[in-house]
Amino acid sequence: TNYDVIVSDYNMNNGNGLFLLEKLNESKMEVPFILVSGHANTKIAIQFANLHVFKILEKPASPLELISSVQEAVKFSYNLKLNKKHIV
């Protein structure tokens, strides 16, 4: 399955966004990952930066900020896929 972007909360019932991003990286799935968190601190930000998170949004994120971030991520994803086609 192909995704253009994944938006995830940090806290979830069965884990957290960090665990999800780690699993995506292990699967070699290249998709922009946007984290939304009300608990973003420097430690969490560094952990996600090391896992190549596309963007971290602080709750409460405005609808405009979320839409803008998703649009940026989709453009990035499209360009990534386009570049891969030209390389192959």
Side-chain angles (χ1 to χ4, degrees):
T1 308
N2 292 325
Y3 298 96
D4 292 321
V5 61
I6 294 175
V7 178
S8 174
D9 198 340
Y10 179 75
N11 288 318
M12 297 185 282
N13 289 336
N14 297 326
N16 62 41
L18 182 62
F19 178 77
L20 176 59
L21 184 55
E22 287 171 341
K23 291 299 175 190
L24 289 170
N25 285 338
E26 287 173 11
S27 72
K28 306 291 187 223
M29 188 176 196
E30 293 180 335
V31 59
F33 188 94
I34 298 172
L35 173 75
V36 182
S37 177
H39 307 288
N41 58 37
T42 304
K43 182 181 176 185
I44 290 172
I46 290 170
Q47 288 175 314
F48 275 94
N50 289 336
L51 292 171
H52 309 291
V53 69
F54 186 78
K55 187 173 270 194
I56 298 174
L57 299 177
E58 186 85 29
K59 285 183 181 178
S62 73
L64 184 59
E65 184 179 22
L66 181 59
I67 290 167
S68 175
S69 297
V70 168
Q71 286 174 333
E72 280 180 56
V74 168
K75 286 178 188 175
F76 179 84
S77 182
Y78 174 78
N79 287 329
L80 187 66
K81 290 173 186 175
L82 191 62
N83 288 336
K84 280 189 167 191
K85 283 183 181 179
H86 289 161
I87 292 173
V88 176

